[in-house]
Amino acid sequence: MKISSAFAHRTIRAAVLIAFVFFIVRISQSDALSYYVAPRMELWVKGLAFGLYVLAMHQLYLAVRDVLSNKKTAAITCTCSSHSHDQWKPSVIIMYAALIVPLVLAFLIPDAVLGSQMVAKKGLNLTPSGILLHSNSGEAAPNLIPNHKLQLDSGPAFPFNEYTRPYAKQAADMYNQPLITINDDIYIESLTSMDLYQEQFIGKKVQISGYVYRLDSMNKNQFAVGRFAMRCCVADSVPLAILVETDTPEQWPNDMYVVVLGTVEKRNFDGKSVLAIDAKSIDTQKVPTNPYVYGNPYFGN
C-alpha cells in the first residue's frame, strides 16, 4: 500500500468530519438547530461536533505523520492480509458517497420548517389520544378501562385510569377556564386531553395558534391548525392539529401562522370522531422562534 493512498483516505475522512462539524456549528449559530433536534438533544449534538472535530484532527495527524516519516502505513489495514481498506474499491467509494451526498444536500438545501408538503406525506393527527391508548395496549389493555373519575363540583366527570390520570386532571383544569388557551409549553398534552374527553368540551370556547394545514379529504370550509410535535429529532415529528371551520377559508393559505378563536364542536372526519373549532375570529400572528412543540417533561408530576 502506498503512502499517497493512505494520505488520500485519511484526508478525505478528516474533510468529511470537518464538514459535519462546520454544518453543526453553522446551524447552531443561526438558531436553526431547533429545526433538526429537540432542545433536550441540542447539547448532545454540540458534544458530537466536538467529538467529530477530535477525530478529524486525529486523521490529519496520522496523514501528516505518515508523509513526514516516509513510511508505509499499516494502521488502517485489516489484520487479514487479503485486502486493505485503503484500496479504492467500489464499497469504499459507496461508503464515502453515503456520507458526502447528504452533506452536500444539507448545505445546498436551505433550513426550513416542516410544513404542508410534509403533512401531505405524513397525514394529520387529529386524534392525539389514540397514540396514548394504543401505546399502552397489549398486556396493559385491561388497565385502559376507566376505573376512577374526577367529578367537578359544577360540571361533567372525567373518567380515568392509571395511564390517563394526568390527562383527566388537565382536562378538568381546562374545562374550568372561561376561555381555553392552548399554550406552547403544554400544547401536546392539552390537545390530547381535549380529544380524550371530546363530549365534555363541546360548546367550550378555545383559542389556539398554529400553522394552517389542509388535506384533500377536507371540506372547502375546513382546514387544520396545528404544529409539528417532536420527541427527539425531525425524523420522529408528527403534525398535531385540530380541525377548523370558517366561512372564509380562502383567506388563510397553507403554512400561514394564525390564531383561531371559536367554539368546540364535534365532527366525523375520515371515519373518526374529531374535535373541530367553529371559528369566530382568525388572525395572523408572528411566527414563534421555535416552530415545533414538545412534550412537557413535568406533565403528570
Side-chain angles (χ1 to χ4, degrees), residues 167-189:
Y167 296 93
K169 185 179 184 303
Q170 174 67 17
D173 292 342
M174 294 169 63
Y175 184 89
N176 284 326
Q177 300 174 14
L179 173 62
I180 300 171
T181 303
I182 310 299
N183 297 316
D184 287 1
D185 61 341
I186 199 164
Y187 201 96
I188 300 172
E189 294 78 10

Side-chain angles (χ1 to χ4, degrees), residues 260-271:
V260 179
L261 174 65
T263 305
V264 177
E265 303 290 345
K266 193 175 180 180
R267 296 289 184 266
N268 188 281
F269 183 78
D270 284 347

Side-chain angles (χ1 to χ4, degrees), residues 30-52:
S30 62
D31 294 327
L33 186 57
S34 60
Y35 291 1
Y36 298 90
V37 297
R40 64 189 181 92
M41 300 298 296
E42 290 186 3
L43 184 61
W44 293 99
V45 173
K46 293 176 181 178
L48 172 65
F50 176 78
L52 293 177

